[in-house]
Amino acid sequence: VFGIPLIGSLVGPALRRKKSHWAKVARVEALPREQPVDLTFADLTEDGYLQVTELHSVWAVKRSLSEVTVFSPICPHLGCQYNWQPQSKQFVCPCHNSVFALDGTVLAGPAPRPLDTLSKKIRNGELFVEWERFKLGIPEKIPV
């Protein structure tokens, strides 16, 4: 009888579904077309009674007012932060020289998959993103 609350506290979090949380990132009309923009935003996360504000960044590429691709800033190889190189029009990871096209496909290097895209939605001209991390170094895009 005394062990039931302990078991519940250990098993409960594993059975609880993660709530979808959308963070407002930018106005879509302010983004340049076909040029990646590094956007930083504050995201409030709740874990029980704790509320924590975390800063995240994403790369956003606007195709049109209704189409934006949002990439995680984390290289899928080993988790380094990659950068946009405007002169070559490629994303380049400085750690192991992985190179990615504007659409996130791998052009060179050891990266096992394309850049990870994040869930996004556009509402009233505002871009919202659902922050998520993925397992590194594997060909499949699997949430952590």
Side-chain angles (χ1 to χ4, degrees):
V1 172
F2 292 113
I4 291 174
L6 177 64
I7 292 171
S9 68
L10 295 174
V11 175
L15 298 177
R16 213 175 308 140
R17 293 183 68 189
K18 180 185 167 196
K19 289 183 192 175
S20 178
H21 177 71
W22 296 92
K24 185 166 46 170
V25 176
R27 290 212 43 84
V28 176
E29 66 186 23
L31 300 174
R33 193 169 178 168
E34 299 294 330
Q35 293 180 17
V37 178
D38 185 9
L39 301 170
T40 300
F41 62 97
D43 188 24
L44 179 68
T45 57
E46 296 182 21
D47 186 10
Y49 296 106
L50 294 176
Q51 292 185 345
V52 178
T53 300
E54 296 178 313
L55 287 179
H56 297 294
S57 68
V58 295
W59 285 98
V61 180
K62 178 173 86 172
R63 310 285 184 201
S64 69
L65 285 176
S66 61
E67 186 183 349
V68 178
T69 303
V70 179
F71 296 110
S72 168
I74 302 167
C75 179
H77 176 229
L78 292 178
C80 301
Q81 299 283 321
Y82 59 86
N83 294 305
W84 174 249
Q85 301 295 319
Q87 63 279 9
S88 64
K89 298 189 178 194
Q90 298 172 329
F91 291 106
V92 178
C93 182
C95 300
H96 299 99
N97 295 322
S98 288
V99 179
F100 305 89
L102 182 62
D103 66 357
T105 56
V106 179
L107 298 175
R113 65 175 181 265
L115 294 175
D116 295 323
T117 55
L118 297 172
S119 298
K120 51 83 176 110
K121 62 183 174 181
I122 298 171
R123 188 173 25 170
N124 298 326
E126 298 279 356
L127 175 63
F128 291 82
V129 173
E130 185 177 32
W131 177 254
E132 192 170 19
R133 290 186 71 97
F134 302 95
K135 290 186 179 182
L136 302 171
I138 59 174
E140 300 84 26
K141 178 180 160 186
I142 300 173
V144 173

